[in-house]
């Protein structure tokens, strides 16, 4: 099972990306292959002009198509997700997330922006027809302290949400794998 870490922070280093990497590490510990895509690394002109013939854009869209699950990470600006994420999601076909599991992650300057995950990002993700958008994980930079030697050290409450989100995504991926095997076996017997 391939999980795409779709990073939508325009800056580097990024607290959002560090959170995504931690989730990716936890998924890898459970046997899932993760691949990364940072939207900010796509050619800006091709992204803004929706140039679906650009090789980098084609590759990025193919990575979304080939993944079984997507961990979407974005900083929250002005009570919504990043503009680069919107530009990228606009490149996907209407069913661009069909049959996929999606785990949204977001970071923001205060708890006041926490609902942006549900009222801004979730409807856009849902419009792309995923199988399921899992409950999101939101954190402030204070809840995600960075240690140069130890890496990201989430506070207890956020660590618990990360663990729950990873576990739910893992369980859903396992369920999907079992369903796919059963479906293929049914096709063979027909």
């Amino acid at each position: 099972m391939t999980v795409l870490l779709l990073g939508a922070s325009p800056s580097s280093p990024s607290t959002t990306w560090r959170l995504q990497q931690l989730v990716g590490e936890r998924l890898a510990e459970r046997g899932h292959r993760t691949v990364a895509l940072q939207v900010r690394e796509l050619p800006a002109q091709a992204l803004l002009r929706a140039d679906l013939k650009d090789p980098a854009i084609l590759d990025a869209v193919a990575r979304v198509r080939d993944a079984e699950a997507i961990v979407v990470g974005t900083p929250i600006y002005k009570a919504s997700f990043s503009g680069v994420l919107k530009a990228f999601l606009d490149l996907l076909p209407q069913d661009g997330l069909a049959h996929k599991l999606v785990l949204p992650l977001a970071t923001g300057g205060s708890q006041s922006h926490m609902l942006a995950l549900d009222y801004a990002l979730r409807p856009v993700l849902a419009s792309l027809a995923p199988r399921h958008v899992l409950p999101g994980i939101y954190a402030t930079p204070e809840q995600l302290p960075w240690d140069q030697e130890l890496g990201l050290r989430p506070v207890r409450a956020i660590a618990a949400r990360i663990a729950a989100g990873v576990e739910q995504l893992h369980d859903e991926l396992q369920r999907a794998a079992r369903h796919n095997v059963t479906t293929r076996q049914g096709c063979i017997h027909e």
Side-chain angles (χ1 to χ4, degrees):
M1 294 282 178
T2 299
V3 179
L4 176 66
L5 305 177
L6 178 60
S9 176
S11 61
S12 178
S14 159
T15 301
T16 306
W17 183 244
R18 288 174 175 161
L19 175 59
Q20 283 185 269
Q21 288 181 305
L22 181 64
V23 168
E25 290 167 9
R26 302 280 165 79
L27 289 167
E29 291 169 1
R30 287 170 171 74
H32 301 287
R33 178 178 173 263
T34 62
V35 294
L37 172 61
Q38 294 272 11
V39 176
R40 71 170 176 269
E41 295 175 356
L42 295 174
Q45 190 169 10
L47 181 65
L48 293 176
R49 291 185 176 190
D51 181 0
L52 293 172
K53 294 179 181 172
D54 182 276
I57 298 294
L58 282 172
D59 178 64
V61 171
R63 288 190 206 184
V64 171
R65 182 193 62 229
D66 296 342
E68 281 80 22
I70 301 178
V71 178
V72 178
T74 180
I76 300 296
Y77 300 125
K78 301 188 185 313
S80 189
F81 54 93
S82 71
V84 294
L85 179 58
K86 180 68 167 84
F88 181 73
L89 293 175
D90 286 347
L91 297 175
L92 300 178
Q94 190 62 43
D95 62 350
L97 298 179
H99 312 294
K100 300 183 188 320
L101 298 164
V102 179
L103 175 60
L105 310 176
T107 60
S110 74
Q111 292 294 331
S112 301
H113 299 290
M114 181 170 43
L115 292 177
L117 266 175
D118 288 326
Y119 72 73
L121 182 56
R122 182 176 297 274
V124 174
L125 295 172
S127 75
L128 296 169
R131 180 161 28 113
H132 186 50
V133 179
L134 302 173
I137 300 169
Y138 177 87
T140 65
E142 292 75 26
Q143 294 173 314
L144 297 169
W146 177 256
D147 184 287
Q148 289 295 341
E149 294 181 15
L150 301 174
L152 194 66
R153 312 295 292 172
V155 299
R156 183 177 301 180
I158 299 302
R161 287 188 205 141
I162 293 169
V166 167
E167 193 63 32
Q168 186 175 8
L169 182 54
H170 170 72
D171 289 346
E172 293 287 339
L173 285 167
Q174 298 292 38
R175 189 173 299 122
R178 286 192 299 272
H179 174 76
N180 290 341
V181 168
T182 303
T183 302
R184 274 190 239 123
Q185 288 173 342
C187 290
I188 291 171
H189 295 296
E190 289 180 355

